Amino acid sequence: MIEEVIKDYGKDGSTVINYQTKIDGVWHSVPLDPANRHYAEILKQVKEGTLTIKEAE
Amino acid sequence: MSKAAELANLIGNINAGGGGVNRNVIINGAMTVAQRATSATGLGTSDGYNTIDRMRLNLDSANAGRFTMSQSTDAPTGFANSLKFECTTADTSIAAGERLELEQRIEGRNMQSFAKGTSSAKPFAVSFYVKGNASATYSCELFDGDNLRQVQKLFNVTTDWTRIELSFPADTTGVLDNDSANSFLIIFHLHGGSTYTSGTLDSTWATFNNANRAVGISSFFDSTDRTFFITGLQLEVGQNPTEFEHEPFERTLAKCQRYYEILSAVASTNSLTGPVAVGQDIAGRKAIGPYFYKTEKRAAPTIANVSIGIDAGDTTHSFVFSTGTRSTSGSSTTSTDIGEADGLEGDFNIVVDGEL
């Protein structure tokens, strides 16, 4: 279950390179690849309004 | 199955465009590979992969029943393992949306030999071995995820290992994408509410309709005595199922690693630190890797972040990963030890998940 998603920026500080994602209590790096099932699920939940992607602190 | 019958089936399937080696499009059908774990308890509401590789659970979040899923050594002659479900919390008041489905998702590029959606479409032959604590009836479904089409057949479970053979018709409607995405599923319906049981079973390929998918099945959650075992799962081109196509363990493992693998970085025994190269990026964060997968992934995978010390006595740092289909590299989330070229302190695993 996806619990939390935070943007991870690259060295330029402005390009999001992946989503840091808490899945079943464990943090993961999720690539921005539509073929990745976790990324696809994030997009689905955002579209449904049940998940918000947070900015990095 | 007699040798004569086996030969007749094989010849029939060759005539239908199948047969021969590499005929089974199911991966890990003998349930031998379990990279994640050999047992998981308290399952019932969360979809996903828990134990045996490639075997996915599809569950409803409102399910009241709970079960344990494991890799068992109880298996029919010629097999070492099976997948086992044990009901631990019964559910006899079934809400409409409840379901328990065991499935394998198949890349479209591995399904092209069925010529689905063309005038030359081939029939589907499914076979597997099942057993339970008592008699039960469940549904086996083939599902075209690209075109949302479906067909099902019921099968019976007894207290003895039983080989099930199911023949499904060809489908001249709905071409499967030739790519690495989830195109086709084989699904076993073991429990379902009225959402999935109120219609009529589809004996021929039909448009997606939830109500038809699990009509006439028993409920796996009807008693805490309930068990379900399955192994020897095979899906092949042809009119008649043939004997299970066994393969070397390392071949099955490599197939599974296209979707999931664990890279184990083992520390050197003659130094204080791990053998893994560590560099430093321009932001002062430590970079580690690249780590090359044993098997190329079907898509950029998800990587579980790791926490590990850099250099002996250093504090633990968290690493996040950038991923490709062939390798991944990590970067510490904090700046540390600028100017040094250190090793990592101790063993660690990188969990790579590119599942469908």
Side-chain angles (χ1 to χ4, degrees):
Chain A
M1 179 196 295
I2 292 174
E3 301 165 28
E4 191 175 353
V5 181
I6 300 173
K7 293 177 183 176
D8 189 19
Y9 288 95
K11 287 186 288 192
D12 64 6
S14 60
T15 305
V16 178
I17 56 170
N18 63 42
Y19 286 151
Q20 290 304 305
T21 306
K22 194 174 188 180
I23 305 170
D24 295 329
V26 178
W27 284 98
H28 292 75
S29 300
V30 175
L32 309 183
D33 181 350
N36 180 287
R37 67 187 167 104
H38 295 120
Y39 181 67
E41 180 64 22
I42 290 168
L43 295 183
K44 175 174 172 279
Q45 292 188 21
V46 168
K47 187 176 181 181
E48 292 171 349
T50 57
L51 181 69
T52 301
I53 299 171
K54 299 176 182 175
E55 286 292 336
E57 293 181 357
Chain B
M1 185 185 299
S2 71
K3 286 298 174 190
E6 174 68 16
L7 184 60
N9 283 353
L10 194 55
I11 291 171
N13 287 355
I14 290 171
N15 289 338
V21 297
N22 300 319
R23 63 185 182 276
N24 188 7
V25 298
I26 298 295
I27 296 173
N28 200 23
M31 313 297 169
T32 53
V33 178
Q35 295 183 87
R36 294 170 181 81
T38 55
S39 181
T41 61
L43 303 175
T45 58
S46 293
D47 298 343
Y49 299 86
N50 298 278
T51 58
I52 294 173
D53 280 54
R54 308 276 18 256
M55 301 308 295
R56 183 181 188 274
L57 295 176
N58 201 19
L59 306 165
D60 186 76
S61 59
N63 281 353
R66 296 291 182 272
F67 63 101
T68 295
M69 178 184 189
S70 62
Q71 182 188 46
S72 173
T73 54
D74 188 340
T77 302
F79 291 87
N81 296 109
S82 65
L83 182 157
K84 179 183 181 182
F85 284 166
E86 294 174 87
C87 179
T88 54
T89 302
D91 172 21
T92 54
S93 179
I94 307 172
E98 288 191 11
R99 62 176 169 175
L100 164 53
E101 299 167 2
L102 174 68
E103 67 185 22
Q104 181 158 138
R105 298 179 165 191
I106 306 171
E107 293 180 49
R109 59 173 36 147
N110 287 345
M111 291 298 298
Q112 297 304 307
S113 59
F114 290 87
K116 190 177 177 302
T118 74
S119 58
S120 302
K122 316 293 185 190
F124 301 80
V126 175
S127 55
F128 51 90
Y129 297 80
V130 286
K131 179 181 145 177
N133 67 302
S135 296
T137 300
Y138 301 119
S139 160
C140 174
E141 178 179 51
L142 301 184
F143 191 88
D144 170 355
D146 287 334
N147 304 286
L148 300 183
R149 292 173 61 74
Q150 61 190 36
V151 62
Q152 310 89 22
K153 282 183 182 291
L154 297 178
F155 63 93
N156 295 318
V157 173
T158 70
T159 55
D160 296 319
W161 278 106
T162 304
R163 176 176 164 84
I164 306 294
E165 297 184 348
L166 305 173
S167 296
F168 293 88
D171 187 15
T172 55
T173 300
V175 173
L176 297 173
D177 297 339
N178 184 26
D179 59 21
S180 60
N182 174 26
S183 281
F184 197 88
L185 301 88
I186 183 168
I187 304 170
F188 295 93
H189 297 269
L190 305 181
H191 169 85
S194 59
T195 299
Y196 306 99
T197 61
S198 59
T200 304
L201 215 61
D202 297 309
S203 58
T204 58
W205 284 93
T207 303
F208 170 63
N209 181 351
N210 260 337
N212 295 349
R213 304 177 71 189
V215 180
I217 69 167
S218 312
S219 169
F220 174 78
F221 289 130
D222 64 0
S223 163
T224 53
D225 293 332
R226 187 64 73 182
T227 59
F228 173 73
F229 298 80
I230 185 170
T231 192
L233 177 59
Q234 182 156 285
L235 169 60
E236 60 191 307
V237 169
Q239 304 167 30
N240 305 298
T242 63
E243 192 171 340
F244 182 78
E245 183 182 14
H246 289 278
E247 61 186 6
F249 178 82
E250 70 274 13
R251 182 137 191 261
T252 305
L253 176 61
K255 287 182 179 178
C256 293
Q257 287 174 332
R258 175 169 170 77
Y259 305 89
Y260 181 93
E261 73 173 281
I262 300 172
L263 300 174
S264 295
V266 180
S268 170
T269 56
N270 58 4
S271 73
L272 290 174
T273 59
V276 185
V278 178
Q280 177 185 312
D281 70 21
I282 60 174
R285 288 160 56 157
K286 289 291 184 183
I288 58 173
Y291 301 97
F292 294 94
Y293 314 138
K294 299 181 193 77
T295 305
E296 182 175 351
K297 299 292 168 284
R298 62 160 202 92
T302 296
I303 309 284
N305 297 344
V306 299
S307 294
I308 191 166
I310 300 176
D311 209 359
D314 198 358
T315 55
T316 296
H317 300 275
S318 295
F319 286 85
V320 299
F321 291 87
S322 297
T323 76
T325 57
R326 295 182 178 178
S327 68
T328 184
S329 296
S331 176
S332 64
T333 57
T334 52
S335 173
T336 178
D337 288 342
I338 296 172
E340 295 182 21
D342 299 324
L344 300 181
E345 189 178 358
D347 303 345
F348 68 102
N349 291 329
I350 298 175
V351 178
V352 183
D353 186 345
E355 260 293 359
L356 286 166

